């Protein structure tokens, strides 16, 4: 019997209940399951409710790391050697990881995957979906695909892709002329628009050290100092910052930049203002936000300021000077064909439904990162959700 470890330093209670618990339940029917997790702190870890919610799942070995150093597990463990030694004693065959610290899990035995949120704007994906990624926040990553694999992806996704393109050309607000969109957002015509979506900046977001800039203020300053009057920064704050963060200093700093920057409203909007902004911008700056994918969809030149890797097909810049040169020249970013293939892979294959997947398929996905026989069910699930979204609209 295979042995499975869930290593979960930064799982929130909601994510545990809705995403992790179903996976534990599925795998416990076929494998020996161990869970290493700290107690609740800053909305990460587990409490009695999470353990009780798994009480009907038999055979789960809980290892709750309730010692004075448990807070450090989220980022830089105080005793990473001790954590590795403990996991070596468990000797897992498979490790499912939810952690901002990726250096420590990389030393674990077994095959390791990271449990991450799905996301591929402008496509709306089911809220109960996740992805299994071998390399943490490697945006745009795909397994090695044969020509036949790529042809299968493109063929199966062709109608869905065409429908999305038509929507973004013909339905409001995306059908609006660029000058009208810019006017509504308070942005000037005649200047290059640099879209800058900000990260969620809260104490429960432990992943900030993977950004090039830990604070949104520093990110804004860095980009603003590099541009002249030819450009204007169009800054979209993260929706969760409006709800959970006192962001007055950030907004004041944006106002202080005068004509060099504009805050694009993004609080409680009934449409997708960041996606609309990216469609109409001339260049995109991101750190680790999945807004990167909207830039790839629309073929925008993109600067990614991150310590994590990006797939070559997206064609991102790592430094601002060559990025601004591309924006000035009106050069495109990702090609349509390569973007279509990745979106097909993500939507139809990469996103899984934890509540609807069985143990054999979970482990098979770890062993075989791609299989054409998974495409139809993935597409059907997406289309069913898309019908719900359309009906609600």
């Amino acid at each position: 019997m295979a042995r499975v470890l869930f290593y979960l330093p930064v799982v929130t209670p909601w994510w545990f209940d809705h995403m992790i618990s179903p996976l534990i339940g599925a795998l416990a029917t076929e494998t020996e399951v161990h869970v290493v997790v700290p107690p609740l702190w800053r909305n990460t870890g587990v409490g009695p409710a999470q353990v009780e919610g798994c009480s009907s799942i038999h055979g789960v070995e809980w290892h709750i790391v309730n010692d004075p150093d448990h807070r450090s597990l989220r980022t830089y463990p105080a005793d990473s050697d001790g954590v590795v030694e403990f996991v070596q004693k468990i000797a897992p065959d498979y490790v499912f990881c939810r952690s901002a610290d990726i250096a420590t899990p990389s030393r674990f035995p077994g095959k390791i995957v990271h449990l991450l949120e799905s996301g591929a704007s402008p496509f709306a994906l089911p809220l109960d979906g996740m992805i299994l990624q071998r390399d943490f926040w490697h945006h745009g990553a795909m397994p090695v695909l044969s020509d036949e694999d790529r042809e299968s992806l493109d063929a199966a996704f062709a109608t869905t892709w065409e429908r999305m393109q038509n929507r973004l050309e013909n339905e409001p607000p995306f059908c609006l002329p660029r000058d009208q969109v810019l006017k509504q957002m308070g942005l000037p015509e005649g200047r290059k628009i640099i879209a800058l979506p900000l990260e969620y900046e809260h104490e429960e977001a432990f992943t900030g050290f993977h950004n090039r800039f830990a604070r949104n203020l520093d990110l804004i300053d860095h980009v603003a100092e590099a541009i002249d009057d030819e450009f204007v920064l169009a800054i979209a704050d993260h929706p969760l910052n409006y709800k959970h963060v006192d962001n007055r200093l950030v907004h004041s700093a944006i106002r202080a930049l005068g004509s060099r920057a504009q805050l694009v409203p993004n609080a409680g909007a009934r449409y997708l203002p960041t996606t609309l902004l990216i469609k109409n911008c001339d260049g995109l700056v991101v750190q680790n936000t999945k807004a990167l994918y909207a830039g790839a969809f629309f073929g925008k030149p993109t600067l990614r300021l991150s310590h994590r890797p990006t797939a070559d097909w997206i064609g991102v810049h790592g430094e601002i000077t060559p990025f601004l040169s591309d924006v000035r020249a009106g050069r495109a970013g990702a090609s349509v064909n390569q973007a279509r293939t990745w979106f097909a892979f993500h939507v139809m294959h990469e996103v899984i439904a934890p509540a609807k997947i069985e143990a054999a398929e979970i482990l098979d996905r770890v062993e075989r990162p791609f299989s054409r026989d998974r495409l139809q069910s993935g597409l059907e699930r997406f289309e069913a959700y898309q019908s719900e979204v359309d009906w609600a609209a």
Side-chain angles (χ1 to χ4, degrees):
M1 177 182 289
R3 189 171 297 152
V4 169
L5 169 65
F6 284 86
Y7 181 71
L8 309 170
V10 295
V11 68
T12 64
W14 187 94
W15 236 75
F16 186 93
D17 293 340
H18 294 85
M19 309 293 240
I20 305 297
S21 179
L23 289 184
I24 292 174
L27 285 165
T29 63
E30 302 289 341
T31 70
E32 177 186 326
V33 175
H34 293 254
V35 179
V36 174
V37 63
L40 275 173
W41 178 64
R42 291 188 177 177
N43 200 38
T44 58
V46 299
Q50 282 66 55
V51 178
E52 176 62 26
C54 292
S55 60
S56 62
I57 304 173
H58 300 293
V60 178
E61 293 287 335
W62 291 87
H63 309 278
I64 298 179
V65 190
N66 191 12
D67 62 41
D69 291 328
H70 76 81
R71 298 178 181 184
S72 71
L73 291 179
R74 278 82 172 175
T75 50
Y76 303 100
D79 182 14
S80 59
D81 289 341
V83 174
V84 172
E85 182 179 352
F86 181 79
V87 172
Q88 286 174 337
K89 292 177 180 177
I90 296 174
D93 300 293
Y94 302 93
V95 178
F96 295 92
C97 185
R98 181 82 175 163
S99 171
D101 164 38
I102 57 177
T104 304
S106 71
R107 299 165 58 196
F108 291 171
K111 296 182 178 180
I112 300 170
V113 293
H114 298 272
L115 306 174
L116 302 173
E117 293 88 351
S118 60
S121 178
F123 289 88
L125 296 175
L127 298 178
D128 62 347
M130 69 159 66
I131 66 174
L132 310 178
Q133 191 173 80
R134 297 193 174 205
D135 191 11
F136 180 82
W137 275 0
H138 188 161
H139 283 344
M142 284 189 292
V144 176
L145 301 175
S146 67
D147 291 342
E148 292 79 6
D149 292 336
R150 291 179 179 274
E151 290 170 2
S152 295
L153 280 166
D154 293 342
F157 200 59
T159 300
T160 303
W161 178 261
E162 182 179 0
R163 185 171 66 240
M164 178 58 73
Q165 288 185 310
N166 288 336
R167 283 180 171 176
L168 295 174
E169 290 297 328
N170 300 309
E171 295 183 12
F174 293 96
C175 66
L176 296 176
R178 172 179 154 111
D179 59 349
Q180 188 172 337
V181 172
L182 297 185
K183 182 178 181 180
Q184 290 180 356
M185 293 183 171
L187 296 167
E189 292 186 61
R191 294 168 68 185
K192 298 292 187 181
I193 306 298
I194 304 294
L196 179 60
L198 300 181
E199 305 279 349
Y200 181 38
E201 193 169 4
H202 191 276
E203 63 178 10
E204 73 180 30
F206 291 100
T207 53
F209 65 93
H210 293 295
N211 298 331
R212 195 87 64 87
F213 296 92
R215 301 190 310 162
N216 284 326
L217 277 172
D218 299 328
L219 170 64
I220 294 168
D221 287 345
H222 174 74
V223 180
E225 288 176 2
I227 64 174
D228 54 28
D229 290 341
E230 182 180 0
F231 305 92
V232 60
L233 281 182
I235 301 171
D237 203 354
H238 197 288
L240 292 179
N241 284 335
Y242 285 100
K243 293 183 178 181
H244 305 302
V245 177
D246 182 355
N247 237 11
R248 286 176 291 181
L249 282 178
V250 171
H251 294 181
S252 295
I254 295 170
R255 289 193 296 271
L257 290 171
S259 62
R260 284 194 292 163
Q262 174 68 36
L263 180 67
V264 175
N266 194 23
R270 297 183 64 185
Y271 60 102
L272 300 172
T274 300
T275 304
L276 182 62
L277 169 63
I278 293 172
K279 179 178 188 255
N280 289 279
C281 76
D282 299 289
L284 172 65
V285 178
V286 300
Q287 295 203 94
N288 287 308
T289 170
K290 291 187 289 295
L292 170 77
Y293 294 122
F297 182 92
F298 294 113
K300 303 296 180 177
T302 300
L303 169 67
R304 186 182 182 196
L305 299 170
S306 171
H307 299 304
R308 302 307 305 145
T310 312
D312 290 342
W313 70 266
I314 302 180
V316 301
H317 291 284
E319 300 298 335
I320 198 165
T321 300
F323 161 72
L324 292 177
S325 296
D326 272 7
V327 175
R328 285 191 183 95
R331 298 189 186 98
S335 76
V336 173
N337 289 341
Q338 290 181 306
R340 182 181 61 238
T341 299
W342 181 84
F343 277 93
F345 166 73
H346 186 74
V347 169
M348 296 192 298
H349 190 283
E350 190 173 32
V351 180
I352 66 169
K356 299 175 183 177
I357 195 168
E358 296 181 352
E361 182 181 347
I362 298 170
L363 299 184
D364 183 53
R365 283 176 172 269
V366 179
E367 297 292 344
R368 294 190 305 149
F370 183 81
S371 175
R372 293 197 292 269
D373 60 15
R374 301 175 189 143
L375 297 180
Q376 186 59 37
S377 60
L379 181 60
E380 289 173 357
R381 179 167 175 263
F382 169 77
E383 293 293 355
Y385 180 72
Q386 191 62 58
S387 297
E388 295 178 11
V389 172
D390 293 343
W391 182 84

